[in-house]
Amino acid sequence: ETVTIINGGDIGEGAFSGLSNLTEISLCTVGDIGKDAFGSCSALEVLTIGTCGDIANGAFSPKQSGGNNGVKTVVIGTCGDISSSAFANMANFSRRGEIVTLTIGECGAIGSSAFSNMPNLEEVSIGKCASISSQAFAFDSALSKVEIADCESIGDTAFMSAGAPIETLVLENCAIAETAFYMVKIDTLVLDNISEIGDSAFQSSTIKNITLSNIDSMGKGAFAGVKELAALTIENVERIEEGTFEIYNTEEGNSVETLILKNVDYIGSYAFYSFNSLKKVYIDQSCGYVGAHAFTGCDSLTGEDAIVIADTTRLGYSDVLVNQPSIHDRVKAILADKFGLDDLSTPIGSISPDGWTSVKTGEANSAENIGDTQLIKEAKWNDAKKTIADVQLKAYYTANKQMDFII
């Protein structure tokens, strides 16, 4: 019924496998735990390990027919690597184990599928681990509490489709691989001092609140298709690329009303396209560039000073920018005295180049009918040694009288 080892060496392969009356295991100090060492112990409820070496593949997994381990509580003080499927049976999903709480003080690598497909696993607490491999906690749909204090890397699909949701997930000082949290459910996500967030790391997940700070790099579509997003704060992230926060259902959008961006140098095209609940955007003066359509479709950005952004930030076109008085005035100041509108009482037949070094004329230039356009681009060296060029554009629109146009 019980196994207690105060101080022992390695536990060999299959040593206690299939003991149907075994309810409790207490291992104070042991060496490596071999393959299937405690496999298929159907009555097992409590597992406590003080210190051990590596835990082999299937060491505590339910494998034999009718051999579902009933262990609900697993506490590990310090161990080596936890091998693939150490506690899970990937060969037979109907025998997944019944672990409810998992506590690990310190371990090496947590292998692929080590704790995957556990429908009852609610709480995971890890003090320190070297890495969490692919699908280690995948499909653990009951997870509500996950604490990982120190982990160097989290592998692809490690938490795929997990979460009941997870109430709060805080990750610091680690690398997150592509699809690591694909389709996960999280209420509040906090990422700080992350060296890398891989491609599609949180794609198609359900996350209500996201805080990102001190992120070295974010992969393509890292948060694409995230549903139910209501709060987003970003600080000390050099680049936000197109597609990072892509919304798949643009009619539905999301619920983010305030967007705060601090120490973000580059915001790519379409970065926040169709964030249709946005009412306030704050971008501090460190931002050097905002790409085209970064805020297009953000139809709630209508109030005066709804967008706070420095005059030194280069702006691409977004449809909501024209409604911002400060940006409108800024554009007018930039264009002041830069264009000449000829007073023409009658349409002219055609415009022609001035003979500069490089000339391109629009292939469809015409002035025959109302609405026809003409365009000529020319360039010549101002200082060839410094490779400084002058560029001239001529444009003409054959319009009805009393209509003025600025290009």
Side-chain angles (χ1 to χ4, degrees), residues 323-367:
N323 299 320
Q324 301 303 309
S326 60
I327 296 176
H328 189 271
D329 293 343
R330 171 184 165 187
V331 174
K332 285 178 64 177
I334 292 172
L335 298 178
D337 300 324
K338 299 297 191 297
F339 290 85
L341 297 179
D342 295 335
D343 183 10
L344 300 175
S345 57
T346 58
I348 62 175
S350 62
I351 58 176
S352 58
D354 291 339
W356 288 19
T357 305
S358 176
V359 178
K360 287 189 177 182
T361 302
E363 296 179 358
N365 278 8
S366 175

Side-chain angles (χ1 to χ4, degrees), residues 103-177:
T103 302
I104 300 174
E106 182 175 350
C107 68
I110 297 178
S112 59
S113 307
F115 300 95
S116 65
N117 285 284
M118 293 189 173
N120 299 312
L121 183 56
E122 297 177 359
E123 299 185 8
V124 171
S125 177
I126 300 173
K128 182 178 181 179
C129 68
S131 62
I132 299 175
S133 300
S134 61
Q135 297 198 22
F137 295 92
F139 309 108
D140 291 347
S141 57
L143 273 180
S144 60
K145 181 179 180 180
V146 176
E147 296 178 349
I148 303 174
D150 188 349
C151 180
E152 295 178 11
S153 64
I154 299 176
D156 62 280
T157 66
F159 286 84
M160 179 174 68
S161 297
I166 299 168
E167 294 175 2
T168 301
L169 178 62
V170 179
L171 297 175
E172 299 178 330
N173 304 306
C174 72
I176 300 172

Side-chain angles (χ1 to χ4, degrees), residues 27-28 48-52 75-79 103-107 127-128:
L27 310 176
C28 296
T48 304
I49 301 175
T51 301
C52 73
V75 179
I76 301 174
T78 302
C79 70
T103 302
I104 300 174
E106 182 175 350
C107 68
K128 182 178 181 179

